[in-house]
Structure formats: structure tokens, C-alpha cells
Amino acid sequence: MKHNPSLRITLDVILFLLVIMGWWFAAIPIALIGAWVFPRYAEIVIAGFLYDILFGFGAVSGRGLLGYAFVIGGAILLAAIAYLKIVVKNNS
Amino acid sequence: MTYLRPHNHVRVRRNRVMAAVAIVIALAIGLIQFSAPYVFPTFFTAIAKPFWRVRLTTQEGAFRSSAAILAENESLKMQLRDIQAGYASSTMAMIDSQYKDILSMLGRASTSPRQYILGAVLARPVAMPYDELTIDIGQNDGVSSTSLVYSAERVLIGHVRQLLANSAKIRLYSSPGEAYSVLIGPKNVPANAIGRGGGQYRAEVPHGSGVAIGDTVSDLSLYGRAFGVVVSIITDPSSPFDTVLFAPPVNIYQMRFVLVRR
């Protein structure tokens, strides 16, 4: 599963289409699955950045760091899942 | 004697190189975003626009049969004829005419026939409290960074926040933290409308100012329609102010088109 590039690309396409459509509530579960299944799933952070840019929460919207809520959230999710995977691996 | 190597140095080195590359890329993106904040929005909006257009045309029923579209066209033409016939003889036409006469006498008549530009709403954040829209017209169509945005019913709803060449991002006044001066009720009580998100506003008026549920809230311009309608008033006996909650008379989540004032 970890070395299945076609599955990863399919998941990426779905993720980015959901982000472009603004359906963040559907994109988050897909991103979580990707982060759990694949190693170094940096697409979460890229998708978060894309969402922040497309829907006006970037630097020009004047919300400070809140303007990058999705890219920061994506990085936190990625780190949290990586930690969780290590914990599960060590305990199994 | 042979020893096992404690680490796989090639793998460690590769991981370090990958981490360094990722950090450099992230720094470069951050630098570009903060020094030229329109570069990424312009690029990604251009990529996303075809997808948004497909969604818009699908929502508008572009994939219906030509027979159904022709039938609807005929029906709409008949309705338009009926409305025009009724409107010409109604008192609304007379009131409208008198209103225009008064504006003309006071030197405030509209001189330009094309004050507004029609824009289609391409995208909006779904299920988010931030009220922002992306429309399909931009600087090339005559929109400026100071343009105000109205609904199709001429209700003032927001302003241009980010102007790109062929699109613009609109921040609605109901977005959290946005403030706009309004007059409430028949006594024109001045107040500051604060956005609450989700197309809702709140304002504080002095206790006993006579504001009631159902009162209209107007902006300070001559041309705009009602800015909102009072839906609730929260009174706290210990406070000298009442909190007035109001909403615009149009549903911001169902808007297909907006009017952008030049």
C-alpha cells in the first residue's frame, strides 16, 4: 500500500478537486486517510495552502496568522499523524 | 572483526537532503507570498476558474435539453410581457418616476447608465463563517479596489477585498470583524453594523431608542435598498445599550450574480 503511486495520485486528484470546490469538510477525511496510509503525505500542507489562497484567507485578507489556518492546520495534522504512526508501530 | 553499522547512512543523508529541500521550498513560497501577495492567488485562481465555471453552468442547468430551454425561454418572455404591462400602469412606476424626479431636482440623479457591472459568483467557502465570494470580473472589466458590491436586488452586501485581472474576491459586510455605518428603524437610529458571519449582523443602540423587530436597516447612501431587517433585539437591564440582530433581505448563500458599482 505504501508504494502504490497510482493510489496516491488518485487520492491527490480527489483531494485537490475537493479543495478547489471549497468542500473542506470532505477534503479533511481524505487528507487524514492519505496521511495515515502514505509516508510523508505533504499534500495535506499543499492542499491547505491552496485552500487559504483560493478562498481569500491569505495575507492580503488581513487576518494575520488566522489567514493561514488551513496550511497551519495541515502541518499540525501531518505531524500528529506521523507521531501516532510511530506510537502504533512501537506498540505493535 | 566485522561490525554492523548502527545507521543506514545513505538513507539518513537522503532524508536530510529531502528535509532541507522542503524547508527551502517552504521559505521560498513564504517569501513570495509575503513580498508579492497576488502571485499565488492569480495563478491558482486561473487554474480553479474552469472548475468553478463548470459547476456554475451545471447549477444553471446548462445540460438540459434544448427543447426544455426553448420552452422556458418562451414562458419567461410571456412573464416579462405581463410584468411590463402591469408595471407600466401600476403605482410603482409613478413612485419610481417621482423618486427619480426628486433625485434630479436635488442634483443627485444618476448620470451614467452603466454604473453597475454584473458579476457571476464563482465560488464561496462552503459551511464557513467567513463571508467571502469570488466573482468572475476583475480589473479588466472596470472593477476597482474601492468598488462596492450589491446583490441583484440592489442590497449593499460587501466590498472588493482582493482585485485580480479577471476575477475579484469580495468580502461581505457580514464577515466577522467587518463594520459598516447604518441607520436603524423609522427614527434612523445611527449604529455600527458588525458582521457575525453567515450573513448576520449585530449592532448596539441606546436602550429605549424605539427599534423594533421587523424594522428596516438602511445604509447611508441614496441609492441602496434596505441593508437589513431587524430579526431580534437583546435587552440587558444592566446595560445602557440594546443589541440588535439583523440579517440582509437576501440570502447570501443563494446569490448567483452580484452587481459591482464602478
Side-chain angles (χ1 to χ4, degrees), chain B residues 175-189:
Chain B
S175 191
E178 286 286 306
Y180 193 75
S181 297
V182 292
L183 300 171
I184 304 177
K187 292 179 183 172
N188 291 325
V189 180

Side-chain angles (χ1 to χ4, degrees), chain A:
Chain A
M1 186 70 92
K2 283 182 178 177
H3 301 291
N4 190 344
S6 57
L7 182 64
R8 186 163 183 160
I9 290 168
T10 308
L11 210 65
D12 289 351
V13 169
I14 294 169
L15 178 67
F16 284 103
L17 279 177
L18 290 172
V19 167
I20 283 173
M21 290 303 170
W23 298 335
W24 60 271
F25 43 83
I28 286 176
I30 297 286
L32 286 176
I33 292 168
W36 184 259
V37 172
F38 299 110
R40 291 187 287 273
Y41 196 68
E43 287 91 326
I44 286 192
V45 184
I46 300 168
F49 181 68
L50 185 63
Y51 192 93
D52 288 335
I53 290 294
L54 282 181
F55 294 101
F57 305 149
V60 283
S61 66
R63 291 187 203 276
L65 271 185
L66 191 64
Y68 294 98
F70 277 84
V71 71
I72 294 168
I76 291 170
L77 268 183
L78 191 61
I81 288 183
Y83 176 72
L84 205 65
K85 278 159 88 171
I86 291 169
V87 170
V88 171
K89 194 177 172 183
N90 290 342
N91 289 339
S92 61

Side-chain angles (χ1 to χ4, degrees), chain B residues 8-27:
Chain B
N8 185 343
H9 287 291
V10 177
R11 194 174 171 184
V12 169
R13 178 177 280 185
R14 196 183 64 188
N15 284 348
R16 279 183 186 164
V17 168
M18 280 176 70
V21 168
I23 289 168
V24 168
I25 290 172
L27 284 176

